[in-house]
């Protein structure tokens, strides 16, 4: 900035001085012209001295100004270069400090593509490229670390609705009756075997884990573990919906439930009951984590059930007592009710009313009696004794 100011100032000074020189030059030229008019003779013209010839050939004001400007530009050229370099360096620093624009896609592109993907109608995995059904069936058995019979496993994924739909489609295409019949067997029998085995094994497991629980509670828990919603959730996480042959897509939950039980039936026929028990235990029992007993078992009268259980154990009937309360005169009161048997605190529950607190206390007492509490001992997932013996035998040999 300082250099530019100096250049402008110098040019202004040069212009002023050039203007003064031009005015002086005009005066001298007028005097010379008047003198020459007075002496117009040829003799005077021939006898003009060198000074007169120099004046005749003296440079004009425009040439003087050009020479001054050229001298100034030569003298100030290093200053020009230095100032321009500094200016460009400062501009480069400012550009570097600015946030540079991203060269990839904008932020909205990813969200838009994801939205379009969800809006597309679902497609079967078999309708997409790079699909080999036989290889996928084989990979499924290796993924679960189980030994299946491949022929039986393929049968486990064939549902009755798929066979009917294919036969109807062939019939609509005009094929003969003999050609419309598919040489496929559905998974109905395998599904029944797997469901029966699963329910039997889960009932035995729960009876061993909770020996004090009545059969109604065991049956409620087994019904929850083998319900359509839970079994279809397990099947989806194992990607059974990609391998299931069904008329509808997405595969409905009841078909997924039937297919998963059919896979258990195939494992029962291929690897025996011992491996099937471990398979059922590993996939069904963890679904009880974080579940409360009375979410799975609907008890209408918990106090009456508690009195029946205490009578079986020859314990006197419980006595409810109000132990604590808070905010009784407010909109949100809180009551603590304790159940006492033989002057000993059996359980304590809370509620917005005394009746609700008494019911909660009876539920707490039932959980303690049945052993289905939040701090109960974790499930034993260690390998069974027969498997340990087989491992010791193989290691010794």
């Amino acid at each position: 900035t300082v250099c530019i100011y100096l250049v402008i100032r110098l040019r202004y000074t040069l212009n002023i001085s050039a203007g003064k020189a031009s005015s002086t030059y005009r005066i001298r030229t007028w005097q010379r012209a008047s003198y020459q008019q007075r002496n117009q003779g040829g003799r005077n013209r021939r006898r003009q001295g060198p000074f007169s010839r120099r004046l005749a050939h003296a440079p004009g004001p425009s040439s003087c100004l050009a020479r001054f400007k050229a001298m100034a530009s030569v003298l100030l050229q290093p200053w020009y270069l230095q100032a321009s370099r500094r200016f460009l360096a400062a501009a480069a620093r400012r550009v570097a400090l600015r946030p540079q624009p991203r060269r990839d896609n904008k932020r909205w592109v990813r969200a838009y593509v994801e939205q379009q993907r969800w809006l597309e109608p679902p497609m079967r995995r078999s309708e997409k490229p790079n699909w080999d059904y036989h290889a996928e069936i084989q990979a499924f058995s290796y993924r679960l670390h189980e030994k299946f019979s491949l022929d039986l496993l393929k049968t486990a994924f064939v549902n009755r609705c798929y066979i009917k739909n294919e036969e109807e489609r062939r019939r609509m295409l005009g094929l003969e009756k003999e050609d419309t019949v598919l040489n496929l067997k559905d998974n109905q029998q395998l599904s029944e075997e797997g469901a029966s085995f699963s329910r039997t094994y889960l009932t035995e497991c729960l009876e061993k884990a909770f020996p004090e629980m009545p059969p109604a509670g065991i049956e409620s828990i087994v019904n929850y573990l083998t319900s359509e919603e839970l079994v279809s959730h397990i099947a989806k996480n194992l990607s059974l919906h990609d391998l299931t042959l069904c008329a509808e897509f997405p595969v409905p939950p009841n078909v997924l439930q039937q297919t998963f039980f059919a896979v258990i039936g195939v494992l029962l026929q291929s690897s025996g009951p011992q491996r099937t028990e471990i398979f059922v235990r590993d996939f069904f029992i963890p679904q009880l984590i974080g579940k409360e007993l009375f979410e799975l078992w609907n008890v209408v009268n918990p106090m009456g059930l508690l009195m029946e259980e205490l009578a079986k154990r020859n314990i006197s009937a419980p006595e409810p007592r109000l132990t604590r309360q808070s905010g009784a005169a407010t909109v949100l009161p809180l009551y603590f009710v304790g159940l006492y048997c033989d002057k000993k605190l059996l359980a304590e529950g809370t509620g917005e009313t005394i009746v609700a607190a008494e019911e909660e206390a009876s539920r707490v007492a039932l959980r303690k009696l049945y052993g289905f509490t939040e701090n109960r001992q974790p499930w034993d997932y260690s390998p069974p004794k027969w498997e340990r013996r087989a491992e010791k035998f193989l290691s010794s040999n």
Side-chain angles (χ1 to χ4, degrees):
T1 307
V2 174
C3 293
I4 293 170
Y5 172 75
L6 291 175
V7 170
I8 295 170
R9 187 67 180 175
L10 181 59
R11 285 189 174 182
Y12 178 73
T13 307
L14 291 174
N15 290 332
I16 293 173
S17 62
K20 290 180 180 179
S22 60
S23 60
T24 306
Y25 180 79
R26 290 193 194 98
I27 295 170
R28 288 180 180 177
T29 304
W30 175 77
Q31 290 176 357
R32 195 184 310 119
S34 60
Y35 177 77
Q36 288 178 359
Q37 286 178 2
R38 287 194 302 268
N39 302 296
Q40 293 181 356
R43 186 181 55 184
N44 294 334
R45 289 195 297 271
R46 285 194 303 270
R47 291 180 181 181
Q48 286 178 353
F51 178 75
S52 301
R53 286 197 294 271
R54 280 199 304 270
L55 288 175
H57 296 285
S62 59
S63 60
C64 291
L65 182 61
R67 288 181 182 181
F68 275 116
K69 289 183 178 180
M71 292 174 60
S73 63
V74 170
L75 292 174
L76 297 176
Q77 186 175 7
W79 292 359
Y80 274 126
L81 294 175
Q82 189 176 4
S84 62
R85 288 171 184 171
R86 290 180 181 177
F87 177 75
L88 292 175
R93 289 193 208 101
R94 292 174 185 173
V95 171
L97 292 175
R98 291 176 185 174
Q100 298 296 327
R102 298 181 63 180
R103 296 186 178 181
D104 54 353
N105 293 332
K106 300 297 182 181
R107 293 183 178 179
W108 58 268
V109 174
R110 184 176 181 181
Y112 176 76
V113 172
E114 189 71 15
Q115 182 185 12
Q116 294 300 316
R117 189 176 68 84
W118 282 106
L119 292 177
E120 291 179 358
M123 292 178 61
R124 301 174 189 268
R125 182 60 184 87
S126 57
E127 297 175 357
K128 298 178 182 179
N130 301 325
W131 174 256
D132 188 351
Y133 189 70
H134 180 76
E136 293 292 337
I137 292 291
Q138 216 167 11
F140 176 77
S141 61
Y142 284 107
R143 190 162 63 243
L144 295 181
H145 300 283
E146 299 290 348
K147 294 181 180 180
F148 294 98
S149 174
L150 292 181
D151 295 334
L152 288 175
L153 190 58
K154 288 181 180 179
T155 306
F157 291 112
V158 180
N159 290 275
R160 183 61 185 167
C161 59
Y162 173 77
I163 297 175
K164 289 182 178 180
N165 186 49
E166 285 295 316
E167 290 178 352
E168 183 66 25
R169 189 172 64 86
R170 293 187 177 191
R171 195 177 299 111
M172 291 176 64
L173 291 174
L175 297 178
E176 296 181 1
K177 187 176 181 180
E178 297 176 356
D179 298 333
T180 56
V181 179
L182 291 177
N183 190 17
L184 291 176
K185 185 180 179 181
D186 60 0
N187 58 2
Q188 184 66 33
Q189 184 178 357
L190 292 172
S191 178
E192 292 175 358
E193 292 179 5
S196 176
F197 179 84
S198 300
R199 293 186 65 89
T200 304
Y201 174 72
L202 290 174
T203 302
E204 293 176 359
C205 269
L206 293 174
E207 286 177 353
K208 290 179 182 178
F210 308 107
E212 303 296 334
M213 191 175 295
I218 298 292
E219 185 180 0
S220 298
I221 298 175
V222 172
N223 290 337
Y224 167 75
L225 292 176
T226 57
S227 62
E228 181 180 299
E229 181 181 0
L230 183 64
V231 176
S232 63
H233 172 72
I234 298 172
K236 282 182 181 178
N237 284 277
L238 293 177
S239 298
L240 262 70
H241 57 281
D242 291 332
L243 302 172
T244 303
L245 298 179
C246 178
E248 302 177 14
F249 191 82
V251 184
N254 59 336
V255 177
L256 283 175
Q257 180 190 23
Q258 183 177 348
T259 305
F260 187 70
F261 282 135
V263 171
I264 295 175
V266 172
L267 183 61
L268 180 63
Q269 295 185 14
S270 303
S271 302
Q274 294 175 345
R275 295 293 305 174
T276 311
E277 288 176 359
I278 297 175
F279 183 85
V280 172
R281 181 200 66 184
D282 291 345
F283 284 104
F284 282 97
I285 297 299
Q287 306 302 321
L288 294 176
I289 297 175
K291 298 296 179 181
E292 198 266 330
L293 175 62
F294 295 102
E295 292 179 3
L296 314 176
W297 182 20
N298 186 18
V299 178
V300 180
N301 186 12
M303 181 58 75
L305 181 61
L306 176 62
M307 295 179 67
E308 291 179 5
E309 294 293 335
L310 294 178
K312 291 179 184 177
R313 295 168 175 77
N314 296 323
I315 301 176
S316 60
E319 299 179 4
R321 296 179 183 176
L322 183 64
T323 56
R324 288 172 290 171
Q325 63 179 1
S326 176
T330 61
V331 181
L332 296 175
L334 183 64
Y335 299 95
F336 291 79
V337 173
L339 297 179
Y340 290 84
C341 293
D342 298 331
K343 298 182 181 181
K344 293 181 180 180
L345 180 63
L346 181 63
E348 188 177 25
T350 60
E352 295 182 355
T353 61
I354 297 177
V355 177
E358 185 179 341
E359 289 184 359
E360 183 62 28
S362 60
R363 290 192 179 93
V364 173
L366 288 172
R367 291 192 204 102
K368 289 182 179 180
L369 290 177
Y370 297 149
F372 203 96
T373 55
E374 294 180 355
N375 58 347
R376 62 181 181 273
Q377 187 178 0
W379 201 275
D380 185 15
Y381 288 99
S382 59
K385 294 181 180 179
W386 60 268
E387 193 171 351
R388 295 175 189 171
R389 291 174 186 171
E391 289 177 359
K392 289 180 180 180
F393 179 75
L394 292 174
S395 61
S396 62
N397 290 338

